[in-house]
Amino acid sequence: MKRIILSVALIAAVAAIVVGGTMAFFSSSATSTGNTFTAGTLNLAIAKDSNGIPYNGWLTSQNASWNFSAMAPGGTPSVSSVWLKNIGTVNGMHLGVSAGNTETVGGFEKQVRITSLTLGGSNLLTGGAGATIGAYVTPTNCDVTVSGTTISAAASASANANKTVCVVPGDYNSTWEGHPEITVSQPMTIVSTQGPLFTSSIQFNITSSGVTIRGFNITNPNGTYAVQISSGISNISVKDNNINHIGTTLSSGSVQAISLTAGSSGGAHFVFSGNTITNIGNLTLVFAGSGSAKGIYIGNSADSGVISDVTIQNNIISNVQASTAAWNAGRGAYGVLVNVHGSGGYINGLVIKNNTISALEGLWSHAIGLEGNTLNAVVTYNDISNLIDHKSPSDAVGVNVEDNPSVSFVTINQNNFTPNVALGIQNTTGTDVNGQNNWWGDQDPSDQISAYVNTAGFLGGPVAGLINGTDQNANGYADLQDLRLTPITNAAVGLNASEQKQLVMGVQVDGPSTGNNFQGANLTTTLTFTLNQQ
């Protein structure tokens, strides 16, 4: 394995760090060496970034600088970017990033928090808030392989009970035009052989326990759901699907991409993970009777059943839309809504973790609604942003807690509530909820919460992740010293021949612990990018 190294210097000259200073970000020259391979060449070039577009040519030697006002401890992160391109003839399978720091004040580099580090939109940090959707894993244990109109028959055939039914690529949405749904009435796994980019389907109605739906592109613009799960069943998984354009052409009615009903009999063991859920609901509904829109909906306000063990993890939910008209025509847009509070009904063991929820708009907008009885609910490592409502005072809320008698057993920790989130946590129960150790966008959570929210130990910056999953300084975040001591050497984000990607890095002087300790401090960091052939 050979490699090429490109060096770019990052100068964090924080003169008068609270006011009046400047920082030059990614400022240096770049050279490439050792780029000859028996199968061709691997050669890395750099270009300046101009509003997301590379310009000034692809060069192996480049000077570029970006200037920012001084970063106050705990203030808004400073973000800059460059473009990298493999101008060789062979593919680069992995990228490495390392730093070599020279600081004038001891300890400064470990207070420079890395708030973002991405290449082509892929996160190079590990373990932070938000979702990361990886490459689709194809099934290896197909008992039955189907195509064409046989998918619906296979989904309900008793002969396929407890088997894996694999679906080859195809547009089954078009094949089944006019049919209401695919009903899964036997325990089985229904999985696409190639994933949602290649296999489209109409909605699934799950009426049996022991069902997994994985790897489909599910659209239903004229209907109210993508996956509907009946009450009284258990052991259901909905994974790795691309769910989009649900209810977007409806003239009335509530819409939910994934719906689980508690009813009077409940159920147990549900997993919703790795799904991309987007364009749910119809923003143009302006009349009475229009409904709310939800990415994932659990329960109903009248449900009296008990649901146990629900995991909602690593989903990307965006563009959920409901009518913005005044009540009662206008309704709410939700990323995840949990609403079980009929007599005796509740959810026990709810985990909502590592989801990215953004771009919701309705009369009110709640990224996560714990709006029923949620015993032992944990909401953690979610990244929530860009919520739009049309009420005054604002009802654009990251996590909304109401009608929840188990509020004392709810934990809302390690989440990012920024930007454009009016309230990170809203609690109307009258009893404190645990809202500790979240990032509120600045060092003052008081403007981001309602009453009855315990925000003790709030974070000094966003939950962005760690370098190689390692926290050298045990400070809870990735910093420039971590990147120097444990460089990223094998990120599974490479550059194929002629491919170009934008590298984005954000930094922030951590707070509030740093205070003014580093006013006037200087830090020079040489960032080295390594492109490896495998």
Side-chain angles (χ1 to χ4, degrees), residues 51-63:
N51 297 319
I53 300 173
Y55 79 107
N56 204 34
W58 292 100
L59 304 173
T60 55
S61 180
Q62 176 90 265
N63 287 323

Side-chain angles (χ1 to χ4, degrees), residues 400-404 407 425-431 450-453:
N400 187 62
V401 185
E402 66 178 63
D403 295 326
N404 196 332
V407 62
I425 301 175
Q426 178 171 264
N427 177 18
T428 62
T429 67
T431 301
S450 69
Y452 304 109
V453 180

Side-chain angles (χ1 to χ4, degrees), residues 209 230-235 260-270 305-310 346-348:
S209 294
S230 299
S231 63
I233 63 177
S234 298
N235 300 308
L260 166 61
T261 303
S264 59
S265 49
H269 310 306
F270 301 91
V306 176
I307 296 178
S308 301
D309 186 20
V310 178
Y346 64 94
I347 291 182
N348 183 21

